[in-house]
Amino acid sequence: MLTLMRNNLQSPFMKLLVFVVVIVMGFWGVTTYSSQSLNIVATVGGEEIPVSAYQEAWQAFSMQIRQNDQIKDFEQYAESFNLRHKILDRLVNESLLLQLAKSNGLNVTKEEIASFIYNSPSFQTDGRFDMDKYNTIIDQSNQSKNDYENKLQKELLRSKFFTLVGGLRFVSESATKTNYILKNTNYRVKYFAINKEAFAKNVKATDKEIKDYYNKHKANYKTEQTYDLDYAVLTADSLVSKDQISQKAIDRFYNHNKQLFPANVKTKIDFITVPYKDHATISKVYAELKKNPKSIKHIAKQYKAAKVKYTTMPWKTKKQLESTFLKQDFTKVKVNNVLRPFVKDGHSYLVRVVDRKVDKESQAAINEQITNKILVAKRTRKLQSQKDKYASITDADKMNEIVTSHKLKWQTLTKFKYGAPASGNLDQVALWQALTKRKKEKVGVAQSVKQLVFYKIKKINPAKQKTFDQVKDQVKQQVLSDKQQQYLSKQLKQWGQDITSQARFNSVVSKYKLQSKEAQYTHDNAKISGMFIPSNIAGKLRVAKEKQAIAFQSFGNGYVIYISQVMKPNENNADFKDKLAGFQKQEEQETAIQFLEDLIAIQKKKLTITYNQDVLKALKI
């Protein structure tokens, strides 16, 4: 398939195919659901994606996201952006990519894996492969050699495929040069904004125009339908109170969601520093620490001549440790275990986790957070169950009994409509939506996030047509507004043809007492301060010449951009060729990545992707 696409990439058909593939990529593929092994989250073309692979990818991703201080509620953030599903999609696409590589004759032999490991600087001491070092690093990564080598095989296969795709020619030199010059052309422009009100003196509205407009748009000039009704409010907080949340429920939530409260756990560490170039000492010290971590201070003294130093550190939160030690991950290191060596500030660090504890001072605040989370969940469920229980009731006497049983009181609203002044704690939006959905029933229940509203409709006041005399002034303003907009459109079109000099541009600014501004514009950053430039206008600017005006409307306002100078890159400059070469390399990389996405989309269409429904539910995907 790669050969076919390589040979035909520049054909019109192939360009169309690639474009279509990109647009519908997320929706192609035959997808089914099954209840298979609970160890498998999905099967892609016969190859399984284990739950452990998803959990590992999700943990690594979620840890990165949680480091963002602006994200207060990670679970809500993850749900809002459907992040769990996106991580699964990424794993599916990786599987499709590897199968695509294999189908095109690529593979990674055991000899290639062995060669990579043997020549990797990470596993060498004094420039030679060190088996003990290899074993130590694999042990520290909490995986078996077989797991590591399987992952390495996939990485090498992916690298081979990227190299193959990267060798394809995607963009011609002439097209690259044209794009480079276009993106790096600077436009010196002057511009002004004008609204339709500027032409208020230029338009009039006759009595006939006003009357004709009213007759054509009578439906827009009616009174709103209103309701006379009685209502009673059942609040969510009256259904479940804080004292109903047990400590056992709080502890259970905390134990299942510890990752949401990393600041609550503190870690105590000590460490040894070794000059980072002294690989022999690092290897020896690390080997001894692995055997007897508790002797870390004694070991440091033994290697004092090699400038080995011992340091102890007080209790620190996860975030504090990551900040101090370049985001090293301490969460996977058990108490009294040693983190594998890493380099910082010219030294290699060998860190031991001495102990961990829960910060009792912050536990009270966390318990309060958890209580509120549980409270909201319980109240929401309780509110929904009450709504389900009462939704079918249409008898007024029965509704009276329900309101009395909840110790509520009926209140009265007259001429109620959407946007009416608030009445107590009533959620008017929920009530209005419920009223407009129920056509016949005079009794019902409306639900919002925090309350149920029981209501009894006593009278419906239908909408009535307003007379011409009642709305004449309102209609007149609408007619004038429409005519001003038409005048603006006509004037902008005329200016786009007439403004062909700086003097003409200035005369328009002066006549309408406008304020003009100057700006630099490039197609690489198609923005001008305070102005939204539609894509069709950006297209016109691409071919604009000096002393030309581009006039257009955006969000009701009119804009005129006058191009006073066009400055293209000088092809005779010494650095032009170097910059062009860098630009071409970047375009090649971006196009190659897009090409890979297109190939994955085609692969997705060919293969069957089966998701394990039970596992998806368990993982909240």
Side-chain angles (χ1 to χ4, degrees):
M1 180 177 67
L2 274 176
T3 303
L4 174 64
M5 296 193 80
R6 185 190 297 116
N7 294 338
N8 296 281
L9 187 61
Q10 296 303 321
S11 72
F13 171 78
M14 187 53 65
K15 289 180 179 177
L16 177 62
L17 173 62
V18 169
F19 175 77
V20 173
V21 168
V22 175
I23 296 301
V24 300
M25 178 178 173
F27 305 96
W28 278 6
V30 180
T31 305
T32 60
Y33 292 86
S34 69
S35 182
Q36 56 204 85
S37 167
L38 293 179
N39 295 322
I40 305 301
V41 67
T43 304
V44 183
E47 292 197 8
E48 297 174 339
I49 299 176
V51 170
S52 58
Y54 170 81
Q55 290 174 325
E56 182 179 341
W58 174 250
Q59 184 179 17
F61 176 75
S62 59
M63 284 179 62
Q64 288 180 329
I65 297 296
R66 284 194 174 96
Q67 290 171 1
N68 189 335
D69 293 335
Q70 295 181 348
I71 298 174
K72 304 302 181 185
D73 189 334
F74 172 76
E75 289 300 319
Q76 183 179 358
Y77 178 82
E79 184 176 349
S80 298
F81 291 94
N82 205 15
L83 297 184
R84 289 183 174 82
H85 195 278
K86 289 178 180 177
I87 292 298
L88 179 57
D89 278 347
R90 191 186 76 186
L91 293 175
V92 168
N93 286 343
E94 286 178 357
S95 178
L96 291 165
L97 180 68
L98 293 175
Q99 292 184 56
L100 185 61
K102 292 175 184 177
S103 68
N104 283 277
L106 298 179
N107 62 72
V108 175
T109 65
K110 292 183 178 179
E111 290 75 15
E112 288 176 300
I113 296 173
S115 176
F116 180 90
I117 294 172
Y118 187 79
N119 292 295
S120 174
S122 301
F123 306 133
Q124 291 181 352
T125 302
D126 297 330
R128 293 186 176 183
F129 177 72
D130 186 334
M131 179 59 79
D132 290 337
K133 189 174 184 180
Y134 175 63
N135 290 333
T136 299
I137 292 176
I138 295 301
D139 289 343
Q140 282 293 315
S141 65
N142 292 324
Q143 60 183 328
S144 67
K145 287 184 182 179
N146 189 50
D147 288 339
Y148 170 74
E149 290 174 7
N150 283 338
K151 290 180 181 177
L152 179 58
Q153 183 184 33
K154 292 179 180 179
E155 288 296 328
L156 293 175
L157 180 57
R158 189 182 295 113
S159 178
K160 275 189 175 185
F161 194 50
F162 287 168
T163 301
L164 173 63
V165 173
L168 300 177
R169 190 72 177 173
F170 291 97
V171 185
S172 69
E173 290 184 9
S174 61
T176 300
K177 185 176 179 180
T178 300
N179 289 338
Y180 174 76
I181 291 174
L182 181 63
K183 284 194 172 185
N184 290 277
T185 296
N186 284 300
Y187 295 77
R188 190 169 291 164
V189 303
K190 297 193 75 172
Y191 65 96
F192 65 77
I194 187 169
N195 57 40
K196 62 185 180 181
E197 284 75 21
F199 305 102
K201 295 179 180 179
N202 300 76
V203 297
K204 303 293 181 184
T206 65
D207 289 342
K208 184 178 186 305
E209 288 174 325
I210 298 171
K211 189 64 178 287
D212 288 346
Y213 187 93
Y214 169 79
N215 290 331
K216 288 181 180 178
H217 303 89
K218 276 187 176 181
N220 297 337
Y221 300 101
K222 287 184 178 181
T223 61
E224 293 185 63
Q225 178 171 290
T226 62
Y227 297 84
D228 295 343
L229 54 85
D230 292 334
Y231 75 94
V233 176
L234 176 64
T235 59
D237 54 9
S238 68
L239 296 173
V240 183
S241 60
K242 272 192 176 183
D243 56 19
Q244 292 177 272
I245 310 300
S246 68
Q247 187 60 44
K248 185 177 180 180
I250 295 172
D251 293 341
R252 184 166 59 248
F253 184 97
Y254 177 78
N255 291 330
H256 282 88
N257 299 277
K258 285 184 178 180
Q259 73 279 6
L260 299 178
F261 311 100
N264 189 43
V265 178
K266 289 189 174 181
T267 304
K268 186 176 182 179
I269 66 169
D270 53 10
F271 57 87
I272 285 176
T273 57
V274 186
Y276 79 97
K277 291 184 178 180
D278 191 351
H279 301 295
T281 301
I282 295 168
S283 183
K284 291 176 183 177
V285 170
Y286 187 44
E288 291 189 35
L289 280 173
K290 286 283 291 179
K291 293 178 183 178
N292 193 0
K294 291 184 179 181
S295 299
I296 183 170
K297 191 172 183 179
H298 177 70
I299 293 170
K301 287 182 179 179
Q302 284 184 318
Y303 289 90
K304 188 175 181 180
K307 298 183 178 180
V308 173
K309 294 182 179 180
Y310 168 80
T311 306
T312 184
M313 206 172 205
W315 297 96
K316 297 286 184 183
T317 64
K318 176 178 180 289
K319 189 172 183 180
Q320 289 170 332
L321 285 172
E322 289 177 345
S323 174
T324 304
F325 293 106
L326 304 177
K327 298 191 182 298
Q328 294 294 321
D329 186 3
F330 289 81
T331 59
K332 295 181 181 179
V333 183
K334 297 179 181 178
V335 171
N336 209 37
N337 278 13
V338 180
L339 194 69
R340 69 184 181 87
F342 61 90
V343 176
K344 176 181 178 286
D345 299 333
H347 288 81
S348 287
Y349 282 72
L350 296 95
V351 181
R352 176 179 73 119
V353 174
V354 179
D355 200 4
R356 283 198 181 91
K357 69 176 182 179
V358 174
D359 182 10
K360 292 183 179 179
E361 292 181 3
S362 62
Q363 189 63 53
I366 287 175
N367 285 350
E368 181 68 17
Q369 290 180 40
I370 293 173
T371 299
N372 290 332
K373 287 178 180 292
I374 296 174
L375 202 56
V376 169
K378 279 181 171 288
R379 285 173 173 173
T380 301
R381 289 196 297 269
K382 188 72 173 176
L383 208 61
Q384 185 61 52
S385 69
Q386 295 292 309
K387 168 70 182 301
D388 295 340
K389 182 178 179 181
Y390 303 136
S392 61
I393 293 176
T394 58
D395 181 76
D397 291 336
K398 182 66 176 176
M399 190 65 78
N400 287 332
E401 292 177 13
I402 293 168
V403 169
T404 302
S405 69
H406 285 287
K407 299 180 181 179
L408 306 177
K409 292 184 178 179
W410 288 107
Q411 300 179 65
T412 300
L413 279 176
T414 57
K415 297 184 178 180
F416 173 73
K417 63 181 180 179
Y418 184 70
S423 176
N425 64 346
L426 173 65
D427 188 325
Q428 297 189 61
V429 175
L431 177 57
W432 182 259
Q433 289 175 340
L435 290 172
T436 54
K437 287 179 182 177
R438 296 170 77 92
K439 302 300 181 182
K440 296 180 179 179
E441 295 87 346
K442 296 296 180 71
V443 171
V445 182
Q447 180 187 355
S448 66
V449 175
K450 296 183 178 180
Q451 62 181 227
L452 286 186
V453 182
F454 303 102
Y455 62 85
K456 298 184 296 182
I457 300 174
K458 295 190 289 186
K459 182 182 178 184
I460 298 177
N461 308 302
K464 294 181 179 179
Q465 181 67 54
K466 294 181 180 179
T467 67
F468 175 71
D469 289 337
Q470 288 176 315
V471 296
K472 182 178 179 180
D473 290 341
Q474 184 181 349
V475 176
K476 180 180 180 180
Q477 290 304 315
Q478 185 61 54
V479 172
L480 286 171
S481 177
D482 289 351
K483 294 186 78 171
Q484 289 167 11
Q485 190 66 52
Q486 293 167 8
Y487 198 99
L488 172 62
S489 299
K490 181 180 178 181
Q491 194 64 67
L492 286 171
K493 185 177 180 180
Q494 191 66 44
W495 285 338
Q497 298 170 356
D498 290 351
I499 297 178
T500 56
S501 67
Q502 182 74 53
R504 177 60 180 147
F505 177 87
N506 291 340
S507 69
V508 173
V509 171
S510 176
K511 179 179 179 180
Y512 290 94
K513 298 179 181 180
L514 304 173
Q515 183 181 3
S516 67
K517 297 180 181 179
E518 295 186 1
Q520 292 278 2
Y521 176 88
T522 66
H523 296 298
D524 196 36
N525 183 27
K527 294 180 181 178
I528 294 178
S529 177
M531 184 191 310
F532 172 76
I533 301 178
S535 56
N536 65 315
I537 301 303
K540 288 183 178 181
L541 283 166
R542 285 178 181 272
V543 294
K545 299 177 182 178
E546 290 183 0
K547 298 182 180 180
Q548 179 182 349
I550 306 292
F552 63 97
Q553 290 189 63
S554 179
F555 295 104
N557 287 327
Y559 296 92
V560 174
I561 301 174
Y562 175 74
I563 297 93
S564 55
Q565 188 178 4
V566 178
M567 296 166 286
K568 295 185 177 181
N570 188 346
E571 297 183 38
N572 296 320
N573 282 353
D575 61 349
F576 179 82
K577 288 186 178 180
D578 292 337
K579 289 183 177 179
L580 179 61
F583 177 77
Q584 181 166 358
K585 184 177 180 181
Q586 181 182 345
E587 279 215 322
E588 289 283 358
Q589 290 174 345
E590 292 175 355
T591 313
I593 291 171
Q594 184 65 63
F595 183 60
L596 279 172
E597 292 178 352
D598 300 341
L599 293 180
I600 291 173
I602 293 173
Q603 187 79 343
K604 186 177 285 188
K605 184 182 180 184
K606 291 170 55 180
L607 301 180
T608 298
I609 303 172
T610 305
Y611 294 95
N612 190 328
Q613 195 173 24
D614 295 334
V615 172
L616 292 181
K617 186 176 181 180
L619 295 175
K620 300 179 181 179
I621 301 177

